[in-house]
Amino acid sequence: MAPIDRSFSRRRFLGGSAMAVTAGALGMPFVRTARAQAATFKAGVITSLSGENILGGNLTKQGYDLWADAINAKGGVEVAGDRFKVEMFYGDDQSSPATGADAAERLIVQNGVDVLFGPYTSGSTIAVQPICQKYQVPMISGSAESPNVWKAKPEFNFGIIPAVDTTSGLSLGVLAKLSKPAAKTVAVISVNEPFSKETGEGFRDGAKAAGLELATYELVPPEGDLTPVISKIAALNPDIIAVGGHEEVLINVVKTSKSLNYRPKALIMHYGITNPAFAQALGADADGTTGVVVWLPTVSYKDDVFGTAKDFAQIAQKKLGGEPDYTAAACAASGLVLGDALKRLGKKPALTPENRVALKDAIAETDIQTFYGPIKFEKDGPHYHDNIQPVPVLVQIQGGKTVAVGPKEAAAADYIYPLPAWK
């Protein structure tokens, strides 16, 4: 079997749709919209509009723009009884953290933006944080997922998507509640590379909170024979195997398990199963595998700007030509955070440097319900300024299709547990 292309990331499988290309996004490292005549709030978007992360970068831009279009259609952000439109400016990080930092500085210095919307990648987000601190300009990040973003305790940055270590851990709690008879033990396989290791550590650390006994924690290299590891786990016979790794590793876990005639009762990883390459590589053997997403159009959340999650998905489908994923949704929700904070701040544009610091403080006090879910930022600890409120949604491959199975309010099908024997 040919190796799977790692550049086809866990959140870029939608890139083949019309959502993956934004007109005018390519070519220039820095572009902006036409200036409005009336006073406006200025928002700068830093993301990958070129380079290897362009598909994900466009998802973030589209999400932020969906909010700007929606709020401007209502006359703008409401402040002290008046409404002020939002003017969007764009900086291309060219898929390079250093370039992202430069672009952020230009947006702040040359365009005088009041706030930044953050990059697609965690690497660029980390690079931009010192620029926000230097110029005392807040940033709302709709895409960053690495816990390393928040371990730095960024004063001016706020994250909408829960860090991957929290979502992987919380997902075990959802799975445990769905399993009948109740799952009691879990074995964790963690690949020794940054994102995968953070995911595996989340599974490991979340086991206790989920009421599960950790049977074993196996740290493995990105490539290599998994036979000894799966053989050890098979002898322990845990109820759940949780894998922190990219698609290739999970494919190898499935193939190795079948070769040993060992069928886990439940097999879960983070985002990999939503990559079509996973099911293509395994065929019917992919059935039953569980994954984690942060948001789906089927969740029961709503707000006054977009309406329900389903309403938002329909708006995105109409404007962008494809179904939005959780990245675009979180970026649109970033705008809801800004609008709420500006309303509470009560300062009309243009914001002074002191107002921008006060805006940062207002964002820190966010506590709202949105179509994306609840948003409230941590005030201390390893997830400082990250929103770890949303409960992850479990999806499972059933009959070749990926369907939501939990929690109950988001489920479209019953969870299959324990998994049937290999065919």
Side-chain angles (χ1 to χ4, degrees):
M1 181 189 74
I4 295 174
D5 183 358
R6 280 183 178 269
S7 68
F8 195 55
S9 79
R10 65 189 185 282
R11 286 189 287 160
R12 285 160 54 187
F13 67 95
L14 289 178
S17 73
M19 288 189 66
V21 179
T22 299
L26 305 179
M28 296 181 65
F30 181 77
V31 294
R32 71 171 181 84
T33 59
R35 181 172 297 278
Q37 296 299 313
T40 60
F41 288 112
K42 300 178 182 179
V45 175
I46 299 290
T47 196
S48 303
L49 302 179
S50 63
E52 64 179 0
N53 294 317
I54 184 173
L55 300 183
N58 275 309
L59 287 179
T60 60
K61 179 183 184 298
Q62 289 161 352
Y64 296 136
D65 285 351
L66 280 169
W67 169 76
D69 290 345
I71 201 67
N72 285 342
K74 293 178 178 290
V77 175
E78 183 182 350
V79 177
D82 293 325
R83 286 190 174 270
F84 299 89
K85 290 193 174 183
V86 177
E87 189 177 3
M88 302 291 279
F89 298 77
Y90 306 100
D92 183 7
D93 68 19
Q94 300 177 2
S95 301
S96 163
T99 304
D102 291 341
E105 191 160 28
R106 288 197 300 274
L107 285 171
I108 294 169
V109 174
Q110 296 180 15
N111 294 91
V113 297
D114 302 307
V115 66
L116 291 173
F117 287 126
Y120 171 64
T121 67
S122 295
S124 284
T125 303
I126 291 171
V128 171
Q129 284 180 163
I131 305 301
C132 297
Q133 185 71 43
K134 175 181 177 181
Y135 291 100
Q136 308 279 280
V137 173
M139 178 166 69
I140 306 170
S141 296
S143 180
E145 293 182 67
S146 171
N148 290 325
V149 174
W150 315 113
K151 288 176 182 177
K153 293 200 170 185
E155 182 183 1
F156 282 82
N157 187 24
F158 302 85
I160 304 300
I161 296 178
V164 66
D165 58 331
T166 67
T167 49
S168 56
L170 289 172
S171 69
L172 287 181
V174 177
L175 192 156
K177 289 181 180 179
L178 294 174
S179 60
K180 297 185 185 306
K184 296 181 179 179
T185 57
V186 58
V188 178
I189 300 173
S190 182
V191 177
N192 194 13
E193 59 185 14
F195 180 85
S196 302
K197 188 169 182 284
E198 292 160 358
T199 305
E201 289 171 347
F203 282 131
R204 179 197 65 191
D205 298 341
K208 183 176 181 180
L212 297 167
E213 177 186 345
L214 182 66
T216 185
Y217 175 75
E218 301 291 329
L219 188 63
V220 302
E223 299 177 357
D225 183 11
L226 292 176
T227 301
V229 172
I230 300 300
S231 295
K232 175 181 177 179
I233 292 174
L236 294 171
N237 195 29
D239 296 319
I240 303 167
I241 295 181
V243 181
H246 293 282
E247 296 88 345
E248 305 96 311
V249 175
L250 186 59
I251 289 169
N252 286 337
V253 167
V254 173
K255 288 187 172 183
T256 303
S257 297
K258 186 174 183 180
S259 71
L260 295 172
N261 197 29
Y262 166 61
R263 179 61 152 166
K265 296 176 185 176
L267 179 62
I268 183 173
M269 72 171 299
H270 210 265
Y271 298 108
I273 75 166
T274 55
N275 184 338
F278 174 75
Q280 290 168 6
L282 290 173
D285 290 342
D287 270 14
T289 308
T290 309
V292 185
V293 296
V294 183
W295 176 88
L296 287 172
T298 54
V299 297
S300 58
Y301 307 126
K302 62 181 180 180
D303 59 67
D304 293 336
V305 175
F306 288 110
T308 65
K310 184 178 179 180
D311 291 336
F312 171 78
Q314 291 174 343
I315 292 169
Q317 177 82 33
K318 183 177 180 180
K319 288 196 172 185
L320 306 176
E323 183 176 319
D325 80 336
Y326 73 93
T327 304
C331 290
S334 301
L336 298 175
V337 170
L338 175 61
D340 173 72
L342 285 170
K343 183 176 182 179
R344 288 186 285 107
L345 179 65
K347 300 294 184 181
K348 300 179 181 181
L351 297 186
T352 65
E354 292 76 17
N355 291 158
R356 292 170 186 166
V357 174
L359 176 60
K360 175 263 297 183
D361 294 335
I363 294 171
E365 297 302 320
T366 298
D367 188 357
I368 60 175
Q369 294 290 328
T370 73
F371 78 92
Y372 171 79
I375 300 178
K376 182 178 181 180
F377 301 112
E378 294 296 291
K379 295 182 180 297
D380 203 357
H383 299 102
Y384 180 80
H385 278 183
D386 190 20
N387 172 40
I388 61 172
Q389 303 298 312
V391 176
V393 178
L394 294 189
V395 292
Q396 187 177 43
I397 297 180
Q398 297 183 1
K401 297 181 179 180
T402 303
V403 296
V405 293
K408 290 182 178 179
E409 59 266 26
D414 292 333
Y415 184 56
I416 298 174
Y417 176 92
L419 296 178
W422 297 112
K423 295 180 180 180

